[in-house]
Amino acid sequence: MGECIFCKIIKGEAPAMKIYEDEYTMAFMDIAKDVDGHLLVIPKKHFTNILDCNDEYLINLMRTVKRISNHLVDDCGYEGVNLLNASDESAGQSVFHFHIHVIPRKLGDNIKAWPNFGGAETPTEDIFKRISML
């Protein structure tokens, strides 16, 4: 965790353009320069991803995501948001501190934030039988 860039941001050891902070969470501008308004929301305690995040921090993280999403739409002129997360390297996670990307959206902005899936290989019914929790 000593080299985690998000932990360094939380501790004030690395710069960030913070837009929101509370006891549990922090939100700041993503530096990727890929989409106008691209934000990251993180828990202020280190969790690798959603798979190891405890309920207390997860609930507060999602409250912050909702608060920021509403702010973007109600106060900043956006019409919607995409929420993106990758949990584990197999899912494309590259920074191993749990975070949610918030992408502000407007109709006609031509942002392709939804993945282009190649099509399922297994019948849905077979997957359903394997993953059902009922």
Side-chain angles (χ1 to χ4, degrees), residues 20-86:
Y20 179 82
E21 183 174 11
D22 63 27
E23 177 183 354
Y24 293 94
T25 65
M26 182 183 291
F28 50 89
M29 302 301 297
D30 189 297
I31 61 170
K33 298 179 183 176
D34 53 0
V35 176
D36 288 344
H38 185 169
L39 306 167
L40 300 175
V41 182
I42 64 170
K44 287 173 72 174
K45 180 177 178 183
H46 186 90
F47 296 98
T48 303
N49 54 46
I50 196 171
L51 302 172
D52 70 341
C53 187
N54 70 34
D55 288 350
E56 178 181 23
Y57 276 85
L58 181 59
I59 289 165
N60 282 287
L61 183 77
M62 292 313 294
R63 281 186 182 133
T64 297
V65 167
K66 181 177 179 2
R67 183 177 192 162
I68 288 169
S69 297
N70 285 338
H71 170 67
L72 291 169
V73 171
D74 296 342
D75 304 324
C76 301
Y78 294 99
E79 297 165 342
V81 297
N82 282 111
L83 304 178
L84 307 172
N85 169 260

Side-chain angles (χ1 to χ4, degrees), residues 62-127:
M62 292 313 294
R63 281 186 182 133
T64 297
V65 167
K66 181 177 179 2
R67 183 177 192 162
I68 288 169
S69 297
N70 285 338
H71 170 67
L72 291 169
V73 171
D74 296 342
D75 304 324
C76 301
Y78 294 99
E79 297 165 342
V81 297
N82 282 111
L83 304 178
L84 307 172
N85 169 260
S87 287
D88 192 66
E89 186 177 1
S90 63
Q93 185 176 4
S94 59
V95 177
F96 293 92
H97 183 120
F98 183 33
H99 58 287
I100 304 286
H101 297 259
V102 180
I103 311 294
R105 300 299 304 273
K106 288 186 177 185
L107 282 174
D109 62 17
N110 294 317
I111 296 170
K112 305 293 183 224
W114 199 257
N116 185 12
F117 298 112
E121 297 177 2
T122 306
T124 303
E125 295 80 6
D126 293 349
I127 299 296

